[in-house]
Amino acid sequence: MKLAIIGAGNVGGTLGVAWAQKAGHDVFFGVRDPKSEKVQGLLGKLGGKAKAGTVAEAAAFADVIVLATPWPAAQAAIGAMGDLKGKLILDSTNLLARGPDGISLEIGHTTSAGEKVQGWAAGASVFKTLNSTGFGNMANPVYNGVKSVMFVAGDDAANKPKAIDLVGQLGFEVIDAGPLRNARLLEAHAMLWIDLAVARGQGRDFAFAVVRR
Ligand SMILES: NC(=O)c1ccc[n+]([C@@H]2O[C@H](COP(=O)([O-])OP(=O)(O)OC[C@H]3O[C@@H](n4cnc5c(N)ncnc54)[C@H](OP(=O)(O)O)[C@@H]3O)[C@@H](O)[C@H]2O)c1
């Protein structure tokens, strides 16, 4: 599959490498500076199999676009993607505010970053996913033989299996978390992981998994 990864930082870089190496996908990083040391390092790691260019070039190349920029850059990045008709967007962003009492969701709980992204990305189908654990877990989601969990929320039922399959190829157990409005739940869930990691001494090497009877 042709994948565009917009933003080649912790999350974008990790996902691009994992999808190229574990599943053989064609990865195109959409970045501000394709010649930067960071981006060239990623391309080197992938042995020339991946490409890097502008956000517009990456989006035009791909069937599936992963939004992995900081939130403040998200709207401009989507605006730069060009025609999004028929494309899938996996939205990994979190819109967090940091205050004296810790983190909170900057836009509250009656909407979500995922829904905002859908509002900007006319013609595309947005799925909220890959936002609720650390990038280290995206590189290796398996703990002692148990897959950690990743959720996918989105309204496009016909294309949801494709989004779920892609996330599953990273090694997660993937659970359909319902419509895109449930991004509100997934973004709150992300805060729990971040709070535990950053403020409660858990560090980054832990993940949530689902067990069943
Ligand atoms: N870090 C995590 O563990 C984690 C986990 C889940 C979700 N998230 C979410 O994932 C997103 C990315 O986080 P991160 O930790 O990967 O951040 P990061 O390491 O700072 O990387 C962000 C990337 O976005 C690029 N970027 C910034 N503005 C851009 C623009 N206008 N167009 C294209 N690319 C642009 C940056 O490029 P330059 O190199 O040019 O600055 C950088 O490569 C955030 O929304 C975050 O909330 C993070």
Side-chain angles (χ1 to χ4, degrees):
M1 198 179 294
K2 291 177 171 177
L3 304 180
I5 315 274
I6 309 303
N10 293 321
V11 171
T14 300
L15 292 175
V17 169
W19 271 315
Q21 290 183 339
K22 290 185 184 173
H25 293 304
D26 296 320
V27 169
F28 197 134
F29 293 101
V31 292
R32 292 189 286 195
D33 179 8
K35 301 232 173 318
S36 75
E37 210 174 300
K38 186 169 70 175
V39 173
Q40 289 301 314
L42 275 173
L43 297 186
K45 204 167 177 178
L46 293 174
K49 192 167 156 43
K51 291 183 237 178
T54 63
V55 170
E57 287 167 343
F61 164 86
D63 313 308
V64 178
I65 301 167
V66 181
L67 181 63
T69 66
W71 177 258
Q75 186 173 8
I78 291 165
M81 287 177 190
D83 184 7
L84 289 171
K85 197 163 178 294
K87 309 251 183 195
L88 309 191
I89 295 181
L90 307 188
D91 168 31
S92 76
T93 62
N94 286 310
L95 178 41
L96 300 180
R98 286 181 174 77
D101 296 330
I103 49 176
S104 58
L105 288 177
E106 199 172 305
I107 45 174
H109 297 266
T110 54
T111 185
S112 61
E115 289 161 279
K116 294 246 175 229
V117 166
Q118 181 65 82
W120 297 327
S125 293
V126 174
F127 296 93
K128 188 82 204 184
T129 187
L130 295 168
N131 69 305
S132 58
T133 197
F135 67 91
N137 290 330
M138 299 179 199
N140 183 8
V142 179
Y143 281 78
N144 305 316
V146 178
K147 290 181 175 188
S148 56
V149 68
M150 182 52 62
F151 301 98
V152 174
D155 294 334
D156 180 350
N159 280 305
K160 197 181 263 184
K162 200 175 187 179
I164 287 176
D165 193 38
L166 260 178
V167 176
Q169 288 165 13
L170 296 168
F172 288 106
E173 174 179 357
V174 189
I175 293 186
D176 180 349
L180 187 61
R181 76 189 300 280
N182 281 354
R184 301 169 194 187
L185 308 181
L186 302 192
E187 291 168 18
H189 180 63
M191 282 200 300
L192 177 62
W193 188 91
I194 296 166
D195 186 67
L196 291 171
V198 173
R200 316 283 154 219
Q202 292 293 331
R204 301 186 67 91
D205 285 324
F206 78 100
F208 300 120
V210 171
V211 290
R212 295 182 178 80
R213 209 170 290 292

